[in-house]
């Protein structure tokens, strides 16, 4: 079972940022970070959200448990930013919209000192959206 | 949230409207009528958007464009700006499924106007999309075809048989069953 965490403030955005990810999975459950009580799964995907939705940055305390999580975590876009903050890194403004060098980007911030990918121990973050034209990244994480 | 839907009258923008109306308030339809039949941005033909808007009881902002690349984007931006000024929308909804070309451009316009952009059909499997239309009783007419083996589907209403035919054509000729590659244009009869 894979735990898919939504950070979308508006439910409608989940169709765009969560469903394309869960369409690639077989055994999963989706929980919004604000409703997360306990984590039994050993693999987690934290999905991205809309360009104008930065609400998760005001609730980073809800992700502090991640620091001691022993399973594997894949953070997509906002998910990478959350991983960065949990690991003590800073974010900086970096707006990028569109399909560039075969990767689809849609973000307002990046993790300072990192490019598209952040890998540390059990954490992997990707700043672009692998659910668009780079689905193998999600499939490899799941396998 | 008050939203405007970029509405062509076809199946994708109609399904996007349907999904968005479950969670948010749709206060206006925005239609860009392109004089360029080969526009990458806008669906043609769009003969009945006024009629559709009346049936749906949602006001319409209709803007014509010559459909020249980049100028049509300026026209789209003006239409969205009008919807912000007249209907106080905080975001737009699109029927984009696969096209990063369309999606990127609309995202950039929304960003420049500081409003939200919603793409509720984004990356949806094309057969799933067709079946969702059927499940929700949409009456979708195929009004234009441009692909191998599609001629006999023109003017047909999409039903289970048509979906199965489109799946067969996908297997035989590699077409996109929901017409994402421009193989067909549709009109929803409300």
């Amino acid at each position: 079972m894979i735990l898919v965490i939504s950070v979308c403030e508006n439910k409608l955005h989940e169709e765009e940022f969560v469903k394309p990810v869960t369409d690639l999975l077989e055994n999963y459950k989706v929980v919004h970070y604000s409703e997360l009580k306990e984590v039994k799964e050993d693999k987690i995907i934290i999905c991205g959200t809309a360009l104008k939705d930065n609400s998760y940055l005001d609730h980073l305390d809800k992700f502090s448990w991640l620091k001691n999580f022993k399973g594997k975590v894949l953070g997509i876009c906002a998910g990478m930013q959350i991983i960065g903050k949990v690991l003590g890194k800073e974010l900086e403004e970096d707006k990028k919209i569109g399909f560039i060098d075969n990767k689809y980007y849609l973000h307002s911030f990046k993790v300072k000192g990192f490019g598209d990918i952040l890998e540390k121990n059990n954490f992997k973050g990707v700043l672009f959206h692998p659910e668009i034209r780079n689905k193998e990244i999600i499939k490899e994480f799941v396998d | 949230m008050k939203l405007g839907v970029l509405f062509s009258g076809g199946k994708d923008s109609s399904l996007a409207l349907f999904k968005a109306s479950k969670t948010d308030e749709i206060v206006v339809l925005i239609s860009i009528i392109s004089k360029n039949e080969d526009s990458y941005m806008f669906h043609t033909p769009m003969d009945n958007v006024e009629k559709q808007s009346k049936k749906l009881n949602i006001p319409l902002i209709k803007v014509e464009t010559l459909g020249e690349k980049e100028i049509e984007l300026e026209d789209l931006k003006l239409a969205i700006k009008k919807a912000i000024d007249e209907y106080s929308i905080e975001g737009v909804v699109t029927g984009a499924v696969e096209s990063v070309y369309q999606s990127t451009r609309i995202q950039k316009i929304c960003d420049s106007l500081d409003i939200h952009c919603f793409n509720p059909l984004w990356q949806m499997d094309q057969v799933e999309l067709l079946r969702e239309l059927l499940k929700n009783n949409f009456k979708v007419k195929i009004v234009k075809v441009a692909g191998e083996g599609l001629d006999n589907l023109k003017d047909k209403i999409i039903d289970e048989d048509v979906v199965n035919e489109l799946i067969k054509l996908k297997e035989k000729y590699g077409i996109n069953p929901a017409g994402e590659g421009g193989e067909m244009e549709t009109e929803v009869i409300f």
Side-chain angles (χ1 to χ4, degrees), chain B residues 16-162:
Chain B
L17 161 65
F18 174 74
K19 281 176 175 274
S21 62
K22 286 182 180 176
T23 56
D24 291 82
E25 187 188 357
I26 310 303
V27 294
V28 65
L29 305 176
I30 303 161
S31 295
I32 309 295
I33 313 295
S34 179
K35 296 207 180 293
N36 176 6
E37 279 195 18
D38 300 319
S39 169
Y40 284 106
M41 279 302 290
F42 307 115
H43 167 130
T44 60
M46 287 169 55
D47 300 331
N48 292 314
V49 282
E50 282 98 347
K51 211 161 86 183
Q52 290 167 313
S53 142
K54 279 188 188 134
K55 279 269 190 183
L56 289 163
N57 202 22
I58 305 173
L60 173 72
I61 289 176
K62 183 176 148 182
V63 171
E64 290 199 356
T65 178
L66 292 173
E68 290 164 6
K69 235 179 179 178
E70 308 312 325
I71 297 174
E72 62 183 0
L73 296 174
E74 280 304 312
D75 293 332
L76 172 62
K77 187 172 175 178
L78 288 174
I80 296 174
K81 179 82 173 54
K82 195 167 183 234
I84 295 170
D85 294 342
E86 292 179 11
Y87 295 92
S88 306
I89 62 165
E90 297 161 80
V92 296
V93 180
T94 88
V97 179
E98 191 65 45
S99 169
V100 291
Y101 178 90
Q102 269 185 339
S103 163
T104 297
R105 279 153 182 79
I106 296 170
Q107 288 280 3
K108 284 183 177 170
I109 290 172
C110 289
D111 181 52
S112 71
L113 295 170
D114 195 27
I115 59 167
H116 285 273
C117 181
F118 292 88
N119 300 288
L121 311 186
W122 192 228
Q123 303 296 299
M124 195 173 185
D125 175 79
Q126 294 197 39
V127 173
E128 181 193 356
L129 191 155
L130 293 171
R131 294 211 192 280
E132 189 151 342
L133 286 162
L134 294 185
K135 193 178 87 187
N136 291 293
N137 302 312
F138 278 86
K139 197 172 177 188
V140 181
K141 186 178 176 184
I142 298 175
V143 291
K144 191 171 154 186
V145 291
E148 202 146 14
L150 288 165
D151 286 349
N152 64 336
L153 292 179
K154 188 169 179 291
D155 296 329
K156 280 201 172 171
I157 300 289
I158 296 180
D159 59 12
E160 196 59 44
D161 290 342
V162 170

